[in-house]
Amino acid sequence: MIKISPSILSCDYSKMGEEFENMKRCGADWLHIDVMDGHFVPNITLGAPLVKCLRKCSDLVFDVHLMISDPQKYIPDFAAAGADVITFHIESDSDVNETIETILENGCIPALSVKPGTAVEEVFPYLDKLGMVLVMTVEPGFGGQGFMSDMMPKVKKLREEISRRNLTVDIQVDGGVSLKTIGACAEAGANVFVAGSAIFGSSDPKATISQMKELAARYF
Ligand code: DX5
Ligand code: ZN
């Protein structure tokens, strides 16, 4: 139930294959792949062709976070490249229901994300069809930003709604998640934790991942 998904935004892009293999050795459950288009967010990262190459380097779940303006257009490409979970933003230009359908048709797990300024209630109408909701704990675009603890009430509200409706939807948090902040996230009801700088910046990523799991497990 608890999953740690290292964000590869903070890895060394000159040796991504090795970094992926190392994350598996360190106990990562998923790999969080941040896709940015320079339009939805003010940064550009990578596209489906690179994900396809990286697929050869790892059998971990590819947790693809699309921070792009028109996610629906690119779902088939990312699915064919080997994505497992595909997260898109409710604030994007694509139709939410159609994009969820396209993700399902392409054999992936659909997830919907809210930026800090978006009310979490906006995802409630789609919860039945989703495998996961991502509550951003920083403004999307860059790694290494400060954790927004004022997002925790959103996580709590979402967990209550999921429980009330007897659903099994994962709640992911992304941005500033570290040994210091993971406890608050888990206490609020999150169970999938993305961490970039906290893991790749650690001198002992294996210990960091195992401590993160331990800290989160206190609330399950
Ligand atoms: C930010 C990305 C995150 C980012 C997290 O827009 O979605 O996945 O890499 O980085 P840290 O954990 O360093 O805040
Ligand atoms: Zn992300």
Side-chain angles (χ1 to χ4, degrees), residues 7 32 34 65 67 134 136 174 194:
S7 166
H32 184 84
D34 286 303
H65 178 194
M67 286 162 276
L134 164 55
M136 289 302 299
D174 179 12
V194 176

Side-chain angles (χ1 to χ4, degrees), residues 48-179:
L50 187 52
V51 174
K52 190 177 174 191
C53 294
L54 292 168
R55 188 69 281 182
K56 294 180 206 147
C57 306
S58 180
D59 58 5
L60 290 179
V61 168
F62 273 15
D63 164 30
V64 175
H65 178 194
L66 298 179
M67 286 162 276
I68 63 178
S69 293
D70 191 5
Q72 193 185 6
K73 186 174 166 190
Y74 297 94
I75 301 299
D77 290 353
F78 282 100
D84 296 295
V85 180
I86 299 185
T87 303
F88 67 103
H89 275 264
I90 198 162
E91 304 87 356
S92 72
D93 297 336
S94 300
D95 179 86
V96 174
N97 276 314
E98 282 176 19
T99 307
I100 293 172
E101 284 310 320
T102 308
I103 295 172
L104 289 168
E105 279 163 16
N106 281 273
C108 296
I109 296 171
L112 191 54
S113 180
V114 284
K115 297 205 285 185
T118 304
V120 77
E121 287 82 353
E122 291 203 21
V123 308
F124 288 4
Y126 310 102
L127 278 179
D128 295 316
K129 296 184 196 164
L130 296 170
M132 185 172 80
V133 174
L134 164 55
V135 177
M136 289 302 299
T137 42
V138 296
E139 282 299 337
F142 300 93
Q145 303 182 74
F147 177 75
M148 297 170 75
S149 57
D150 50 338
M151 295 299 116
M152 294 304 97
K154 281 163 68 168
V155 173
K156 196 162 178 273
K157 235 184 252 176
L158 176 61
R159 180 53 74 200
E160 282 165 3
E161 179 72 5
I162 290 167
S163 304
R164 190 182 68 75
R165 285 162 60 177
N166 264 320
L167 299 170
T168 48
V169 181
D170 287 324
I171 301 181
Q172 183 175 58
V173 280
D174 179 12
V177 177
S178 67
L179 290 173

